[in-house]
Amino acid sequence: MGNIVDFAEDLQNFLPSLMDFFNKIYTKSYARIEAYLVGILLAYIIYRRKQNNSGKLNTITLWIGWILASGVALTCQFGLYHQKLSLVAASFYNALSRLGFSLGLGWVIFVCVIGQGDAVNSILSWKPLIPLSRLTYCAYLVHPVVMTAYFGSIRALIEFNHINVIMLYLGILFISYAAALMTSLLFESPVIRLERLLRNKLSS
């Protein structure tokens, strides 16, 4: 997409370009396969470590891993702030940003699984976060519906500033998790319960 501000300067061309981007790239699974491949690779690495009874990482390796993972993930997330990218730079960013962020997140998962996550693992394992963690996938599934319903109902321009963006983010986040809770209670939880009953019955 390049710099969205440049696109927004020509509203007539911006909306068709945005819809074209969503239909051909954003919603397609092949545009997000990097995250799945990183997850598969990470699972294999963890499995091999358990098979080989590998020891803990040394301090230098941990520091290098954290610096690289944090740098790459933060760059992918915030690297475009106040940047005006060329077409080539925007193409590279769109092609590699999800891969870079997935690798950074994969490092966090890796060190937590092998027992060297320390404070990060303690925060992610905090009991009040467990209910929210069980709703994350449902929230991921329903949040496009929430966003589409909201933006489709707007009949006036929105001033683009930090306060409005923060309020919009928090509102969509809250409604998405509320919808995810309802979805989980109505569909996911009953199916999981039914699956457990069938599994217990077949195994008995």
Side-chain angles (χ1 to χ4, degrees), residues 46-182:
I46 293 174
Y47 170 77
R48 294 296 299 175
R49 282 182 59 87
K50 289 185 177 180
Q51 290 291 105
N52 298 330
N53 293 321
S54 300
K56 292 187 175 182
L57 302 177
N58 59 55
T59 304
I60 296 177
T61 303
L62 279 175
W63 273 101
I64 293 175
W66 276 114
I67 292 172
L68 290 177
S70 301
V72 170
L74 291 174
T75 300
C76 292
Q77 195 70 13
F78 302 107
L80 295 185
Y81 189 67
H82 283 181
Q83 297 295 319
K84 188 173 183 179
L85 300 182
S86 64
L87 180 60
V88 174
S91 300
F92 272 102
Y93 177 82
N94 285 325
L96 300 176
S97 60
R98 290 188 180 92
L99 175 62
F101 187 79
S102 300
L103 290 172
L105 188 60
W107 170 260
V108 176
I109 297 172
F110 174 72
V111 293
C112 288
V113 168
I114 66 175
Q116 293 185 268
D118 298 332
V120 174
N121 186 56
S122 299
I123 294 172
L124 295 177
S125 302
W126 190 38
K127 288 185 178 180
L129 293 180
I130 294 177
L132 290 179
S133 69
R134 293 176 178 173
L135 294 176
T136 51
Y137 188 66
C138 278
Y140 166 74
L141 292 178
V142 302
H143 89 275
V145 179
V146 175
M147 294 179 66
T148 302
Y150 173 74
F151 289 111
S153 66
I154 294 177
R155 296 296 180 266
L157 296 178
I158 301 175
E159 183 179 354
F160 191 78
N161 56 51
H162 291 88
I163 296 298
N164 284 345
V165 171
I166 291 172
M167 296 298 293
L168 185 61
Y169 167 77
L170 293 177
I172 291 177
L173 179 67
F174 177 80
I175 295 174
S176 295
Y177 267 91
L181 176 61
M182 295 177 60

Side-chain angles (χ1 to χ4, degrees), residues 21-53:
F21 170 76
F22 268 86
N23 293 332
K24 293 183 178 179
I25 299 177
Y26 189 81
T27 59
K28 302 302 181 183
S29 58
Y30 55 73
R32 302 172 181 274
I33 196 171
E34 309 102 310
Y36 294 99
L37 295 179
V38 169
I40 292 172
L41 178 61
L42 176 62
Y44 177 75
I45 292 173
I46 293 174
Y47 170 77
R48 294 296 299 175
R49 282 182 59 87
K50 289 185 177 180
Q51 290 291 105
N52 298 330
N53 293 321

